[in-house]
Amino acid sequence: MVSVEWALTMPVFLLVVLFCVSGIFQSINVAVVDNAARAAARSYSLYADVEKAEEIVRANAGENARMQIDTNADTVKIAIKKPGMGIFRYLGINFYSAYQVVMEPAE
C-alpha cells in the first residue's frame, strides 16, 4: 500500500516543490527589473538619451527586457517589462517595474 500512495502523491509533491523553488529564483528577477528601471530613469533624467537608457536596461535586466518611456513637461516615467522564466514563462507571468523622476534642467 505504501508504494501506491507514494506513486500517487510524489509527482504532485515534486511539482509543488518545483514551483516553489522556481518562485524563489524569480524573486531575484523582481529586484533586477526594479533596479534596471531605477537606473534607466536616473540616466534618462540626467542625459535625456534613449540609447543610453536602453543600454542600461539591457545590461541590468537582459536582452529580453522591454523599456517604455513616457515624458511629461518636466517628468519622465520609465517602465520595464521582462517575461518570466521557467514555469512562469508557461504561465504567461511578466515582471514589471516603473519609475517616475523629474528631468534635470539643461545647462
Side-chain angles (χ1 to χ4, degrees):
M1 257 334 204
V2 174
S3 62
V4 172
E5 293 167 349
W6 176 266
L8 291 175
T9 59
M10 187 50 76
V12 175
F13 175 73
L14 288 177
L15 187 63
V16 169
V17 168
L18 177 67
F19 187 74
C20 291
V21 169
S22 182
I24 290 169
F25 286 119
Q26 295 306 314
S27 65
I28 295 170
N29 270 342
V30 172
V32 165
V33 170
D34 194 51
N35 183 51
R38 182 183 50 80
R42 181 177 182 275
S43 173
Y44 190 83
S45 72
L46 292 173
Y47 307 112
D49 186 6
V50 176
E51 288 81 21
K52 189 169 188 172
E54 286 177 348
E55 181 182 326
I56 289 172
V57 169
R58 281 193 303 275
N60 287 316
E63 293 293 325
N64 59 349
R66 300 291 172 244
M67 180 178 72
Q68 179 182 359
I69 300 175
D70 296 323
T71 57
N72 284 337
D74 60 343
T75 63
V76 63
K77 179 180 178 183
I78 303 282
I80 308 291
K81 184 168 98 170
K82 181 177 181 180
M85 296 173 3
I87 196 165
F88 289 94
R89 179 179 52 209
Y90 297 115
L91 295 174
I93 296 174
N94 295 319
F95 298 99
Y96 176 84
S97 183
Y99 268 84
Q100 185 169 355
V101 293
V102 176
M103 293 291 291
E104 293 293 325
E107 293 181 25

